[in-house]
């Protein structure tokens, strides 16, 4: 099994930056993909960015060019660097691990609040 803990959220002004962390423990090397999701009040949870075990990344159009996902395997941590933040980025951000098991398994962190003020 995998345990995920997000951190790094907080209050930031529009145009500012935050770096979120997702610390993983357990069966770390069974993880195929880490996804960053966000959910604002009254809205569905949306996929923001993904990174594979091989380091390939992809991003939602709304954050492309502003957010960067990376991983540090030595620290068992995935990061989401968020630059040029906008008020519409305000949400609870979650990381999700997709596991190479049968059937495939997903694990969620507890979430971290990001609030961008105007």
């Amino acid at each position: 099994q995998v345990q995920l803990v997000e951190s790094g959220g907080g209050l930031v002004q529009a145009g500012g930056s935050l770096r979120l962390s997702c610390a993983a423990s357990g069966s770390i090397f069974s993880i195929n993909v880490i996804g960053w999701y966000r959910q604002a009040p009254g809205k569905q949870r949306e996929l923001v960015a993904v990174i594979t075990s091989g380091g390939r990344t992809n991003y939602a159009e709304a954050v492309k060019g502003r957010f960067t996902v990376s991983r540090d395997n030595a620290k068992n941590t995935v990061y989401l660097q968020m630059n040029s933040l906008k008020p519409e980025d305000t949400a609870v951000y979650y990381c999700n691990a997709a596991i190479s098991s049968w059937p495939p398994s997903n694990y969620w962190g507890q979430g971290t609040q990001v609030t961008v003020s105007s």
Side-chain angles (χ1 to χ4, degrees), residues 79-117:
Y79 303 97
L80 184 67
Q81 179 67 47
M82 305 186 296
N83 299 325
S84 301
L85 282 162
K86 305 174 181 180
E88 50 262 46
D89 295 319
T90 295
V92 178
Y93 284 71
Y94 300 87
C95 61
N96 171 274
I99 307 301
S100 59
S101 61
W102 189 261
S105 301
N106 289 312
Y107 295 88
W108 292 93
Q110 84 289 347
T112 185
Q113 176 71 50
V114 171
T115 302
V116 183
S117 65

Side-chain angles (χ1 to χ4, degrees), residues 3 5 17 19 23 41 56 62 67 74 76-77 82 95-96 102 109:
Q3 298 82 42
V5 179
S17 298
R19 188 177 73 164
R56 294 185 294 274
F67 291 11
N76 306 133
T77 300
M82 305 186 296
C95 61
N96 171 274
W102 189 261

Side-chain angles (χ1 to χ4, degrees), residues 20-96:
L20 306 183
S21 298
C22 175
S25 61
S27 300
I28 296 168
F29 295 104
S30 69
I31 299 173
N32 288 334
V33 180
I34 291 288
W36 282 99
Y37 291 74
R38 67 186 182 187
Q39 188 167 25
K43 300 181 69 175
Q44 294 185 338
R45 189 171 298 185
E46 296 181 320
L47 181 62
V48 173
V50 298
I51 185 166
T52 72
S53 60
R56 294 185 294 274
T57 60
N58 210 348
Y59 302 90
E61 188 67 29
V63 307
K64 193 171 296 182
R66 299 188 298 119
F67 291 11
T68 303
V69 63
S70 62
R71 69 191 304 161
D72 185 339
N73 288 332
K75 297 181 178 179
N76 306 133
T77 300
V78 172
Y79 303 97
L80 184 67
Q81 179 67 47
M82 305 186 296
N83 299 325
S84 301
L85 282 162
K86 305 174 181 180
E88 50 262 46
D89 295 319
T90 295
V92 178
Y93 284 71
Y94 300 87
C95 61
N96 171 274

